[in-house]
């Protein structure tokens, strides 16, 4: 069965695709040696199982960010989540967890002080419910992507405290019982492992105690969600992850409801692989925490628009495989999320000049070696290795 037919059938059955044309049905050959499109050459009964979600089984939640807001607003493609039918189709069937890439951040939700703009976040929640997926909420307390009216508002300490409390009660409360994990606090330490006492408006104006309050307010608003600290460059054991290790122990001793520690996992083939990733997650697990990898992508240097070389793709696949294996090896690591799954919508080329190709699929949705690396590592852990659906 051809891919186009599968997608069409699925779209009709699901009845949720927003009137777009299917763009990738006649995919051109993938640059740099991509694999066949999903479903192609697979017996009809097995095609639906030829996914990361099936490979993972119940071993771990395999997630992706849902593209929207942030850098997407300045790109020349239509909104992926509503207008790209292939994207939507794969979002629904490849993954068992979704994260809001930008749609639950302050600058997206709060265009002005009085208004909460929940339309896109609600749409993600509804999509997840329809597809049996869990959702990771991202994020409540951060130094980035805050609206101008907040950063420049000249608010007193009391006003800021009240604003954050209201925000958490409203946002976390709205989705109470429907969020698997919340990134309550994001990136509170800088690259020198120092608290962002200047950059982070909340910490600057209210002190570190506001972080504990944020966790308490989140717990009160949704007793079921697991509450996380999340950051980048904390994959391995290093001064920055040490800072979290120390802080979290203090908070736990004070009875602050911290449930989890997650590493984003924005990696580059330019750097060596953080080989102590599992050991790092394990030490947090040993504190009684859940752990997660929340924003995995593996970028590479592509100067002057170069295509990835086979060596780069192989190294990328190895990094994806090793992260997946590390996540699977740590008890209480319940979710592994990719920061997007197709290069078209990746934040990487927009953010890191001369770098790209960071996701597991080419722009035409064909699969890279990295896709197979993740899938095979998942299948090995779930007991589904060798299943006929996954044999290609
Ligand atoms: C990124 C988004 O992917 C972009 O769309 C946006 O323009 C900037 O933010 N760490 C995080 C994520 O916690 O929220 C960031 O997401 C990537 C780095």
């Amino acid at each position: 069965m051809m891919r186009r037919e599968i997608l069409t059938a699925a779209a009709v059955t699901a009845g949720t695709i927003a009137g777009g044309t299917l763009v990738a049905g006649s995919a051109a050959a993938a640059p740099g040696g991509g694999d066949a499109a999903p479903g192609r050459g697979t017996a009809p009964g097995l095609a639906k199982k030829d996914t990361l979600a099936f490979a993972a089984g119940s071993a771990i939640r395999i997630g992706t960010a849902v593209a929207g807001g942030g850098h997407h607003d300045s790109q020349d493609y239509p909104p992926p989540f509503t207008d790209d039918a292939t994207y939507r189709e794969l979002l629904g069937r490849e993954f068992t967890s979704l994260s809001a890439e930008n749609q639950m951040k302050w600058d997206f939700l709060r265009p002005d002080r009085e208004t909460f703009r929940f339309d896109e976040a609600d749409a993600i929640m509804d999509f997840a419910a329809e597809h049996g997926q869990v959702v990771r909420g991202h994020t409540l307390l951060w130094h980035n992507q805050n609206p101008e009216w907040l950063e420049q508002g000249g608010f007193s300490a009391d006003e800021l405290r009240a604003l954050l409390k209201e925000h958490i009660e409203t946002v976390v409360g709205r989705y109470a019982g429907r969020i698997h994990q919340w990134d309550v606090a994001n990136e509170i330490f800088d690259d020198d492992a120092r608290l962002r006492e200047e950059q982070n408006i909340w910490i600057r104006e209210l002190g570190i105690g506001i972080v504990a309050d944020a966790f308490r307010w989140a717990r009160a608003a949704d007793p079921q969600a697991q509450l996380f600290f999340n950051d980048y460059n904390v994959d391995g054991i290093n001064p920055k992850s040490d800072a979290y290790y120390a802080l979290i122990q203090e908070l736990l001793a004070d009875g602050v409801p911290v449930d989890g520690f997650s590493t984003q996992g924005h990696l580059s083939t330019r750097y060596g692989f953080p080989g102590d990733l599992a050991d790092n997650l394990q030490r947090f697990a040993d504190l009684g925490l859940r752990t997660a990898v929340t924003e995995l992508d593996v970028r590479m240097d592509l100067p002057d628009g170069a295509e990835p070389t086979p060596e780069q793709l192989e190294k990328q696949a190895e990094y994806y495989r090793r992260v997946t294996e590390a996540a699977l090896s740590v008890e209480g690591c319940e979710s592994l999320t990719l920061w997007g799954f197709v290069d078209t919508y990746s934040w990487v080329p927009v953010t890191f000049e001369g770098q790209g190709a960071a996701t597991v699929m080419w722009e035409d949705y064909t699969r890279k070696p990295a896709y197979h690396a993740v899938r095979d590592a998942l299948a090995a852990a779930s007991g589904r290795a060798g299943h006929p659906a996954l044999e290609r």
Side-chain angles (χ1 to χ4, degrees), residues 341-360:
F341 61 91
V342 62
D343 283 347
T344 325
Y345 303 132
S346 168
W347 74 307
V348 166
V350 181
T351 312
F352 303 89
E353 215 191 315
Q355 301 179 56
T359 75
V360 297

Side-chain angles (χ1 to χ4, degrees), residues 70-71 101-102 105 138 142 145 186-187 264 295 339 347:
H71 81 278
E101 185 173 358
N102 296 290
K105 292 174 181 173
H138 176 77
W142 195 22
Q145 291 182 263
N186 198 32
E187 302 178 354
Q264 294 175 5
E295 306 182 13
W339 208 237
W347 74 307

Side-chain angles (χ1 to χ4, degrees), residues 163-310:
L163 271 168
L164 185 62
K165 183 165 189 278
E166 178 205 31
H167 184 84
I168 290 176
E169 285 171 349
T170 307
V171 178
V172 177
R174 183 178 185 88
Y175 302 124
R178 301 163 65 196
I179 293 275
H180 179 211
Q181 301 175 333
W182 259 112
D183 291 332
V184 174
N186 198 32
E187 302 178 354
I188 65 165
F189 290 102
D190 68 16
D191 292 340
D192 297 321
R194 280 195 290 260
L195 210 54
R196 293 188 193 266
E197 279 170 330
E198 284 308 309
Q199 270 178 299
N200 185 310
I201 182 173
W202 310 109
I203 298 174
R204 184 179 69 230
E205 304 301 329
L206 300 165
I208 179 70
I210 192 63
V211 175
D213 284 337
F215 278 87
R216 293 190 187 101
W217 293 329
R219 170 67 92 239
D222 182 358
Q224 280 166 266
Q226 299 170 12
L227 308 180
F228 273 68
F229 277 102
N230 186 55
D231 212 322
Y232 64 90
N233 284 351
V234 290
D235 311 296
I237 298 177
N238 58 36
K240 197 168 172 183
S241 59
D242 284 349
Y244 278 100
Y245 191 64
L247 174 68
I248 290 173
Q249 287 180 78
E250 276 177 41
L251 293 174
L252 291 176
D254 288 347
V256 179
V258 179
D259 302 312
F261 170 79
S262 49
T263 183
Q264 294 175 5
H266 293 295
L267 304 180
S268 164
T269 58
R270 189 192 285 187
Y271 308 114
F273 184 82
D276 52 357
L277 171 59
D279 289 343
N280 186 40
L281 295 180
Q282 187 61 52
R283 67 174 171 156
F284 287 93
D286 291 342
L287 297 178
L289 297 181
R290 311 292 166 85
T291 60
V293 178
T294 55
E295 306 182 13
L296 177 60
D297 53 18
V298 183
R299 59 190 189 271
M300 55 187 77
D301 290 297
L302 300 171
D304 307 319
E307 293 294 338
T309 65

